[in-house]
């Protein structure tokens, strides 16, 4: 049905129903790139004849940008279809990164901030999906988080799970709260969820306030990300009462040459801890010495450590629950696993 320059689709009581982007509808407005399903046939809707048609819209992804303006409408439609197929089959991986306690190198939790799509979609598409307001991008982000939780369940993990909330998601706080509430319901009680707000969003007071409300309503802890060692900014973060502040690798650049700043930051990090805000270091292997010297309680590891750590935990589980083994042997096994984990961690973060 055409109304001026827009189109909508209406189901007239069909037996099999009409679907738009995988959801059954009675009536819905159509956007370029939407997938309309009728019986066993699917169509990609593109209204390319309108004067203000934008080929980027057909991808249902973020604006393409100057370097990609030559992408044809055919390619854009193909990308849209592939993204819908990815969402339908939930073919989305969410790489996990470990977070370690710096006091004893024990495993504190896991974080996921990126997503991996099948090889037939370029890495650029994955980046665009992260920050796109489109319906299919929102669906992909939702599936990525649910997949991460399911991986926690499959691996029998009972640690903290950190995941990033993109600023574009705060444009519809009600929908975000509904999604995170679903994720919370799917999460085992033994797993604590932490939503990470990127640094760019923490400069926007409205977005911070919205995220605080969403986190409170969904019983999820909150973390702020920062790319700078700015004492004033870090103390401002503390006033907003996040549970964690994550210092990214950018913040560690050239810190070794700023000794007065290093001493000041040590005091700031201590002050953050005193008000219940735990600082987490997300640096490079070459930053290991600075991370230790500044007194961080927690620090990120690398994705390469995930399988090693999981194998260690499985070994610990097998040996600490034997049918006929003494408690003393169990204790020695735990000590062995702690030593292996510390050794893996040390190899991933060698001293310069």
């Amino acid at each position: 049905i055409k109304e001026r320059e827009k189109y909508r689709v209406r189901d007239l009581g069909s037996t099999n129903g009409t679907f738009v982007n995988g959801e059954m509808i009675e009536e819905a407005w159509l956007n370029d790139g939407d997938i309309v399903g009728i019986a066993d046939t699917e169509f990609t809707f593109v209204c390319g004849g309108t004067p203000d048609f934008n080929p980027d819209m057909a991808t249902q992804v973020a604006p393409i940008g100057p370097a990609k303006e030559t992408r044809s409408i055919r390619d854009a439609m193909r990308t849209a279809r592939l993204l819908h197929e990815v969402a339908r089959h939930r073919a989305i991986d969410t790489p996990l990164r470990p977070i370690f306690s710096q006091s004893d190198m024990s495993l504190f939790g896991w974080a996921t901030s990126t997503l991996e799509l099948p090889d037939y979609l370029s890495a650029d598409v994955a980046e665009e999906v992260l920050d796109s307001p489109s319906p299919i991008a929102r669906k992909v982000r939702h599936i990525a988080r649910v997949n991460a939780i399911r991986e926690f369940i499959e691996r029998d993990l009972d640690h903290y799970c950190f995941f990033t909330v993109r600023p574009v998601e705060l444009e519809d706080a009600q929908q975000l709260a509904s999604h995170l509430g679903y994720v919370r319901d799917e999460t085992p009680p033994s797993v604590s969820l932490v939503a990470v707000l990127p640094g760019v969003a923490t400069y926007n007071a409205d977005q911070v306030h919205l995220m605080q409300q969403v986190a409170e309503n969904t019983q999820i802890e909150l973390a702020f990300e920062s790319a700078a060692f700015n004492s004033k900014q870090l103390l401002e973060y503390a006033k907003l009462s996040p549970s964690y502040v994550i210092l990214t690798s950018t913040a560690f650049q050239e810190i070794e040459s700023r000794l007065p700043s290093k001493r000041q930051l040590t005091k700031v990090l201590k002050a953050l801890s005193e008000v219940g805000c735990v600082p987490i270091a997300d640096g490079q292997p070459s930053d290991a010495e600075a991370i230790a010297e500044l007194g961080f309680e927690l620090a990120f590891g690398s994705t390469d450590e995930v399988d090693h750590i999981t194998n260690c935990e499985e070994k610990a589980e097998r040996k600490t629950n034997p049918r006929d083994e003494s408690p003393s042997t169990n204790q020695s096994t735990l000590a062995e696993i702690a030593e292996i984990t510390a050794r893996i961690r040390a190899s991933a973060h060698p001293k310069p």
Side-chain angles (χ1 to χ4, degrees):
I1 304 170
K2 183 177 181 181
E3 295 187 8
R4 296 184 180 180
E5 300 300 329
K6 298 185 68 176
Y7 290 82
R8 56 195 171 105
V9 60
R10 179 187 299 159
D11 184 83
L12 300 178
S14 63
T15 302
N16 297 319
T18 301
F19 296 79
V20 175
N21 298 331
E23 296 182 5
M24 181 178 285
I25 56 92
E26 293 183 359
E27 184 171 305
W29 288 103
L30 294 175
N31 297 307
D32 289 297
D34 283 345
I35 304 297
V36 180
I38 301 173
D40 59 353
T41 304
E42 289 187 338
F43 304 88
T44 302
F45 175 82
V46 176
C47 181
T50 55
D52 58 347
F53 173 67
N54 178 3
D56 294 348
M57 288 296 294
T59 65
Q60 287 288 284
V61 188
I64 290 175
K68 305 171 189 173
E69 288 176 353
T70 58
R71 182 189 296 182
S72 67
I73 295 177
R74 182 184 297 274
D75 291 339
M77 291 173 60
R78 179 176 180 274
T79 299
R81 292 301 298 262
L82 289 174
L83 278 174
H84 280 281
E85 288 299 311
V86 165
R88 173 182 296 176
H89 297 290
R90 312 184 76 87
I92 304 163
D93 288 330
T94 50
L96 296 177
R97 294 182 60 199
I99 302 174
F100 293 97
S101 169
Q102 294 299 282
S103 60
D104 58 2
M105 306 313 299
S106 61
L107 186 63
F108 177 80
W110 304 86
T112 174
S113 59
T114 61
L115 55 88
E116 291 183 355
L117 301 177
D119 293 339
Y120 51 76
L121 283 168
S122 69
D124 292 338
V125 172
E127 288 298 319
E128 290 169 354
V129 165
L130 286 174
D131 295 306
S132 169
S134 68
I136 185 59
R138 183 170 60 244
K139 189 172 185 178
V140 168
R141 288 191 295 262
H142 183 140
I143 293 171
R145 292 194 184 112
V146 173
N147 282 357
I149 294 303
R150 288 177 178 172
E151 185 170 355
F152 262 64
I153 296 172
E154 289 174 4
R155 295 191 179 199
D156 197 23
L157 303 176
D158 57 357
H159 306 88
Y160 285 78
C161 176
F162 288 70
F163 59 87
T164 301
V165 172
R166 314 302 295 190
V168 69
E169 296 181 270
L170 293 169
E171 293 177 5
D172 191 339
Q174 185 174 358
Q175 189 172 62
L176 176 62
S178 175
H179 163 56
L180 295 185
Y182 174 84
V183 172
R184 174 70 275 177
D185 292 342
E186 291 290 304
T187 304
S190 59
V191 177
S192 300
L193 296 178
V194 183
V196 180
L197 196 61
V200 64
T202 60
Y203 291 102
N204 186 316
D206 291 336
Q207 288 189 329
V208 170
H209 181 63
L210 280 174
M211 190 63 238
Q212 286 178 314
Q213 287 184 321
V214 169
E216 182 177 351
N217 292 338
T218 55
Q219 299 181 340
I220 292 175
E221 293 187 71
L222 190 58
F224 290 164
E225 189 178 78
S226 177
F229 269 126
N230 184 306
S231 302
K232 183 178 180 181
Q233 179 185 346
L234 292 178
L235 291 175
E236 287 296 322
Y237 282 172
K239 294 178 183 178
L240 298 172
S241 303
S243 300
Y244 307 90
V245 171
I246 300 172
L247 278 297
T248 65
S249 57
T250 307
F252 289 92
Q253 294 177 359
E254 300 180 2
I255 190 172
E256 290 296 334
S257 61
R258 293 157 40 203
L259 296 179
S261 177
K262 186 185 294 185
R263 287 194 294 268
Q264 182 182 10
L265 287 168
T266 302
K267 295 179 180 179
V268 171
L269 295 177
K270 184 178 180 181
L272 287 173
S273 298
E274 289 175 351
V275 297
C277 180
V278 181
I280 305 178
D282 185 10
Q284 299 295 327
S286 57
D287 301 318
E289 190 170 335
I291 290 172
E293 188 174 347
L294 287 168
F296 279 90
E297 295 182 37
L298 302 171
F300 278 79
S302 68
T303 54
D304 295 336
E305 297 169 280
V306 175
D307 290 335
H308 291 290
I309 294 168
T310 304
N311 290 338
C312 288
E313 292 184 333
E314 289 175 352
K315 183 179 177 183
E317 180 67 21
R318 288 195 301 268
K319 291 195 174 182
T320 54
N321 295 286
R323 294 183 178 178
D324 51 0
E325 191 164 359
S326 65
S328 60
T329 305
N330 294 344
Q331 293 299 322
S332 64
T333 300
L334 290 174
E336 177 189 353
I337 299 309
E339 182 181 349
I340 293 172
T341 304
R343 194 161 59 244
I344 294 169
R345 176 70 171 140
S347 65
H349 296 280
K351 290 186 178 181

